[in-house]
Amino acid sequence: MSDTIQTLLQENRHFSPSPEFVAQANASDVSIYESAAADPIGFWEGWAQRLDWFEPWHTVCDFQPPHAKWFLGGKLNAAFNCVDRHAAATPDRRAIVFEGEPGDTRTLTYAQLKDEVSQVANALKELGVTKGDRVSIYMPMIAELAIAMLACARIGAGHTVVFGGFSAESLQERTNDAKAKVIITADGGWRRGNVVPLLKIVEDALDLGCPQVEKVLVFERIGEKAGADLAVSRHSHLLESWTEVVGRQSNDCPCEVMDSEDLLFILYTSGSTGKPKGIVHTTGGYLTGTFATTKLVFDLKEDDLHFCTADCGWVTGHSYVVYGPLANGGTVLMYEGAPDTPDKDRFWKIIEKHKATILYTAPTAIRAFMKWGLEYPQRCDLSSLRLLGSVGEPINPEAWIWYQEHIGGGRCPVVDTWWQTETGAIMITALPGITPTKPGSATWPFPGIKISVVGEEGVGVTVAGPQSTHGVPGVGGYLVIEHPWPSMTRGIYNDPDRYEKTYWSKFPGKYFAGDGVKLDDEGYLWLLGRVDDIMLVAGHNISTMEVESALVSHPSVAEAAVIGKSHELKGQAISAFVILRGGFEPTDGLVDELKKHVAHKIGAIARPDDIFISAELPKTRSGKIMRRLLRDVAEGRALGDTTTLADPTVVSSLKTQYEDKES
Ligand code: ATP
Ligand code: MG
């Protein structure tokens, strides 16, 4: 650990936005929190008014827990707001800058985007898709993926994007649950120099059975190497070539008039906690939430180039690659491939080449960059960057400071954004022109959002920004959202009971997020991870996150995952799985030193009982550590559902090694 980082952590230092940043910021007046808290409905209505509506709403919000509706009676179209209105006003502005893994690039202006979206929309109509249908999208992270999403929105069909790394079974399960009539795919995508044979996987899914699928629209991009041929496929009667079908369409396709509460998309969550849930989002509220948060959290402006590294298979790609930035008329950078192909500086090369100004990525990536070393970012010019974001997991203070210092050059504000597929848009975050940040804290709720930190009985402290924070030092509890907000999910597709039970039954009338959070004495929120991941050790609540951050602050540790293992006396005992940085050997001496280090940083109560040094950790395909599987390993149980793991072999080999060591 560098000395600067050590000092910063010890000082619990705040980072304030620079006067230059504040002078230009979309939001720089702290009173925004107070006014939004006094009238959240009015606050959101103000943002909705900045979208284009075909017909106004008569009621802003109708909340009958657990159901909320927003902008009732209002009519609009998401594609109109993300494409047409900018194609009319600024036709030559860039909408999408795309770079493929092999290095191919493509830029689409808003005028071009409108033409392409309209053609694909007409193609979907020719294939029989009508308003109210669902379409499943299984594509690599190419411009056509965003185009396909917007084409569905244009004709009023709900899309369900399935991440291109998922298997045939996962695709089949999600496609059938959503009852999608058409699948849009590509022949293949690039990942670490290899072809991901998407069309072949679609064919396997069709073999497994997708009875309601009538057509598959295939974007041919890779050709022979993808190993699939439309003409000779066993499913050739279903397959349609994008080049042919889209190619013959007119670029004139009027936008369907959609009700504010009509379905925009269904997105299945990554499954860190169990069977994937089909999270439903509707049009008006979702667009309002993503539009407002993009403008204020990313401070998005006309001349920005917004690089969100998430795939559109996740909600982050939906909200902050497609809908939020494009609703703002912004320019987004889409990159198809892996961050280490051809070398570990790929992101930095992309930023340098295209002059990206905003970078939004995940802690898992940041920890990998730290492990790879400084030489990679240091050999690229990152001076175009002016803002950095993080999402997906709690970010360890160590990683936050590294990101701020080495990627942001010490000048870029860092926004750590907490939210979920279910919330649609960012809920807890700094506003970069206003909020002094602290490494590791997501800071305050977004204006108009009221968060409570509550105990088992549902009583606790409510936080709605800087004015209303009365932190009780160190108080931790459940994260609860008090008010409905426009972009909240409207439910779980096909499973209303699960929706009510999961989010609204623990604290009736309030949204229970399933995460733990701690409030500090300055009213800052510190996310502790999933409630299931919080340990109860000898009567003390200890978050896996805190112990992991303590471990990661040791120079030998690259990554750590901590779990509570059943213990006769203590209830739970702390077990840690640790990946070492290059150059460190897994000795007993080191294990002892790490235990001492944690005890020193947090207290003796948090000292891990055992530390297991491993080469890899089980992660979801979105890069999150799956602690429930590590609990299965440590407690010697059969492994639970592993279908959403990025690499299921990691956990089975880990289990074998662990059991060998134990015996
Ligand atoms: P599933 O719900 O199927 O188990 P998931 O929760 O991983 O999957 P997402 O909706 O993509 O699916 O992730 C939301 C969760 O990610 C949050 O509930 C939280 O646990 C975690 N998270 C996201 N951003 C942050 C953040 N900035 N800080 C801490 N945790 C975060
Ligand atoms: Mg979740």
Side-chain angles (χ1 to χ4, degrees):
M1 178 162 51
S2 79
D3 289 348
T4 12
I5 292 181
Q6 184 71 273
T7 320
L8 289 171
L9 284 173
Q10 275 163 2
E11 285 174 353
N12 181 21
R13 230 186 83 184
H14 297 55
F15 289 81
S16 291
S18 69
E20 300 77 51
F21 193 97
V22 174
Q24 306 282 326
N26 286 343
S28 55
D29 183 353
V30 72
S31 70
I32 186 173
Y33 285 97
E34 207 173 345
S35 53
D39 178 16
I41 300 280
F43 172 79
W44 289 117
E45 184 170 32
W47 282 98
Q49 277 158 351
R50 297 168 73 168
L51 297 173
D52 278 26
W53 296 76
F54 302 136
E55 281 176 43
W57 53 88
H58 54 74
T59 307
V60 181
C61 176
D62 174 35
F63 183 42
Q64 319 273 346
H67 302 289
K69 292 184 174 149
W70 284 82
F71 312 116
L72 288 85
K75 310 281 180 205
L76 79 169
N77 183 289
F80 186 88
N81 277 281
C82 291
V83 183
D84 295 46
R85 61 175 183 156
H86 312 299
T90 50
D92 299 328
R93 185 185 295 164
R94 298 176 308 167
I96 299 177
V97 177
F98 162 75
E99 181 163 318
E101 193 182 84
D104 48 320
T105 57
R106 186 175 179 217
T107 299
L108 281 128
T109 63
Y110 272 97
Q112 290 165 332
L113 182 64
K114 181 177 174 221
D115 286 349
E116 295 214 15
V117 168
S118 301
Q119 282 188 293
V120 175
N122 280 329
L124 290 173
K125 284 189 187 169
E126 187 186 309
L127 299 182
V129 180
T130 55
K131 181 175 171 177
D133 285 342
R134 267 91 44 223
V135 170
S136 120
I137 303 179
Y138 186 63
M139 295 183 96
M141 192 56 186
I142 55 179
E144 285 71 16
L145 168 51
I147 292 169
M149 292 164 69
L150 292 163
C152 290
R154 191 169 195 92
I155 62 171
H159 54 71
T160 180
V161 181
V162 179
F163 173 56
F166 274 130
S167 65
E169 289 80 13
S170 307
L171 173 64
Q172 180 219 18
E173 186 187 18
R174 290 161 168 79
T175 301
N176 290 352
D177 190 71
K179 296 190 190 62
K181 209 173 181 179
V182 163
I183 301 177
I184 308 179
T185 191
D187 55 357
W190 293 102
R191 190 76 191 169
R192 299 212 160 83
N194 298 314
V195 174
V196 183
L198 296 169
L199 178 55
K200 284 175 80 179
I201 301 169
V202 170
E203 293 182 300
D204 291 345
L206 295 172
D207 286 340
L208 292 168
C210 301
Q212 77 294 330
V213 170
E214 293 171 12
K215 286 288 173 197
V216 177
L217 183 62
V218 187
F219 181 70
E220 292 149 295
R221 160 163 188 260
I222 293 189
E224 253 172 61
K225 277 198 195 140
D229 184 336
L230 271 59
V232 301
S233 159
R234 55 193 183 280
H235 297 288
S236 58
H237 60 293
L238 296 181
L239 307 185
E240 298 285 348
S241 149
W242 174 298
T243 319
E244 279 174 33
V245 182
V246 175
R248 64 172 171 252
Q249 305 300 323
S250 129
N251 60 5
D252 179 26
C253 175
C255 291
E256 270 313 316
V257 175
M258 304 302 288
D259 189 85
S260 176
E261 283 298 329
D262 278 338
L263 176 71
L264 181 60
F265 64 84
I266 303 165
L267 182 63
Y268 291 83
T269 57
S270 64
S272 314
T273 46
K275 185 180 181 290
K277 308 174 276 262
I279 300 298
V280 170
H281 281 289
T282 56
T283 310
Y286 173 81
L287 208 60
T288 302
T290 52
F291 172 71
T293 48
T294 305
K295 180 139 229 123
L296 299 187
V297 178
F298 299 110
D299 192 47
L300 191 73
K301 313 238 173 58
E302 286 173 15
D303 42 8
D304 274 314
L305 180 59
H306 180 75
F307 183 21
C308 166
T309 68
D311 192 282
C312 286
W314 315 119
V315 75
T316 306
H318 281 63
S319 300
Y320 301 109
V321 174
V322 181
Y323 290 108
L326 298 183
N328 276 284
T331 306
V332 297
L333 177 59
M334 288 177 80
Y335 167 58
E336 174 189 17
D340 54 355
T341 305
D343 204 351
K344 296 188 173 71
D345 59 2
R346 186 64 188 268
F347 278 10
W348 322 130
K349 282 258 156 67
I350 290 174
I351 290 166
E352 177 179 71
K353 175 168 166 193
H354 300 282
K355 302 199 164 44
T357 56
I358 300 165
L359 174 66
Y360 190 33
T361 195
T364 182
I366 299 167
R367 290 189 301 258
F369 302 145
M370 290 172 74
K371 188 163 68 178
W372 294 340
L374 277 178
E375 58 182 293
Y376 299 103
Q378 278 175 354
R379 66 188 184 206
C380 297
D381 177 6
L382 303 179
S383 61
S384 57
L385 288 173
R386 64 178 198 89
L387 181 77
L388 303 176
S390 170
V391 62
E393 286 183 289
I395 178 165
N396 321 94
E398 190 81 8
W400 193 106
I401 292 172
W402 186 92
Y403 192 37
Q404 206 267 354
E405 194 170 280
H406 298 295
I407 305 304
R411 77 187 171 275
C412 302
V414 174
V415 289
D416 172 19
T417 61
W418 177 90
W419 60 295
Q420 309 176 295
T421 310
E422 296 87 337
T423 69
I426 293 168
M427 296 281 111
I428 305 177
T429 178
L431 292 186
I434 297 176
T435 319
T437 48
K438 295 195 209 182
S441 165
T443 75
W444 302 329
F446 186 80
I449 302 294
K450 211 167 152 186
I451 302 275
S452 287
V453 182
V454 304
E456 204 52 60
E457 56 307 322
V459 192
V461 188
T462 299
V463 191
Q467 277 80 12
S468 57
T469 53
H470 305 289
V472 182
V475 166
Y478 298 110
L479 197 169
V480 158
I481 308 177
E482 295 278 346
H483 271 299
W485 63 101
S487 64
M488 71 187 247
T489 178
R490 301 305 191 253
I492 299 179
Y493 201 64
N494 290 333
D495 206 345
D497 292 344
R498 190 175 177 195
Y499 172 66
E500 181 149 9
K501 192 162 162 277
T502 310
Y503 309 104
W504 298 91
S505 66
K506 191 165 177 69
F507 305 111
K510 297 175 182 189
Y511 177 86
F512 169 58
D515 282 14
V517 65
K518 197 163 88 178
L519 194 61
D520 74 12
D521 52 0
E522 292 176 308
Y524 280 60
L525 293 164
W526 298 75
L527 276 307
L528 301 175
R530 291 161 206 287
V531 168
D532 306 344
D533 290 340
I534 292 171
M535 303 170 291
L536 191 62
V537 181
H540 296 266
N541 270 315
I542 298 177
S543 106
T544 49
M545 168 64 194
E546 286 174 300
V547 181
E548 286 161 11
S549 286
L551 285 163
V552 171
S553 74
H554 190 275
S556 68
V557 178
E559 193 151 29
V562 165
I563 55 151
K565 173 177 164 178
S566 305
H567 187 278
E568 253 172 73
L569 302 175
K570 299 193 220 177
Q572 284 187 312
I574 302 177
S575 285
F577 293 77
V578 159
I579 300 180
L580 296 183
R581 288 190 192 232
F584 289 90
E585 291 302 320
T587 61
D588 289 345
L590 179 59
V591 166
D592 283 342
E593 187 182 322
L594 290 176
K595 289 182 183 174
K596 276 192 207 125
H597 180 73
V598 174
H600 171 72
K601 288 233 125 180
I602 309 178
I605 183 81
R607 182 189 166 96
D609 277 41
D610 40 72
I611 294 182
F612 182 75
I613 296 184
S614 64
E616 275 175 295
L617 294 171
K619 289 189 180 166
T620 63
R621 281 162 218 262
S622 53
K624 302 181 192 194
I625 299 168
M626 260 221 226
R627 292 180 191 75
R628 72 176 161 82
L629 293 178
L630 291 173
R631 280 196 297 272
D632 292 343
V633 168
E635 294 179 353
R637 266 193 307 273
L639 298 174
D641 186 356
T642 57
T643 51
T644 55
L645 277 181
D647 180 1
T649 60
V650 167
V651 67
S652 41
S653 85
L654 187 68
K655 189 168 161 62
T656 318
Q657 289 167 37
Y658 189 87
E659 284 163 358
D660 284 353
K661 186 175 168 270
E662 292 286 280
S663 60

